[in-house]
Amino acid sequence: MSNRTFTMIKPDAMKNGHAGAILDRIIKEGYRIVALKQTKLSAEKAGEFYAVHAARPFYGELVEFMSSGIIIAAILEKENAVASFRTLIGATDPAKADEGTIRKLYATSLGENAVHGSDSDENAEIEGNFFFSGLEKF
Ligand code: CMP
């Protein structure tokens, strides 16, 4: 069990003006921000980030969407961070997400689901290192 996870506020939530509310919720839920940046993925970089899904039918759509606009990337710290953050954001499909979760409140659809949360400690480390150097983590 690690105490860090990685998240992105995706282009749909950024365009719909939910970034402030999502960051406020994350902080109020007790996560410490280890690293944070606003950035935009090229299609190549989005494809690299989601390479694990390359064989899935939705991969092209996912890469196009994730490179369609500005995102916020962050590393978060809290006890049992990966599992607790996945509970906070809710199911991948917002239609199936519990009431009060970030995706239930702010996501548009299965593909445009407002936020990403790492699915394992190992991936949290890999994903955080994809966006941040050692000098950017505090
Ligand atoms: P995320 O948690 O960022 O990890 C992979 C993403 O792929 C997921 O959120 C969804 O946004 C997206 N995704 C998963 N399943 C589908 C699907 N069936 N159709 C479109 N996008 C999907």
Side-chain angles (χ1 to χ4, degrees), residues 38-132:
Q38 177 168 279
T39 186
K40 187 169 186 289
L41 290 166
S42 63
E44 189 188 353
K45 278 290 186 189
E48 201 184 313
F49 183 87
Y50 280 113
V52 65
H53 296 303
R56 309 287 280 275
F58 57 82
Y59 179 67
E61 193 184 310
L62 176 61
V63 167
E64 188 179 275
F65 167 61
M66 286 305 296
S67 57
S68 70
I70 293 165
I71 61 162
I72 287 174
I75 298 172
L76 306 174
E77 192 170 81
K78 188 181 176 178
E79 196 180 325
N80 195 20
V82 166
S84 75
F85 192 70
R86 285 173 75 81
T87 301
L88 174 61
I89 65 178
T92 307
D93 182 351
K96 296 178 183 156
D98 288 342
E99 290 299 326
T101 60
I102 290 175
R103 282 174 172 153
K104 187 70 171 185
L105 289 167
Y106 304 116
T108 317
S109 64
L110 173 58
E112 303 197 3
N113 62 356
V115 283
H116 168 80
S118 303
D119 64 2
S120 66
D121 292 346
E122 187 191 4
N123 283 336
E125 175 85 12
I126 292 167
E127 292 171 359
N129 289 339
F130 185 92
F131 281 92
F132 298 101

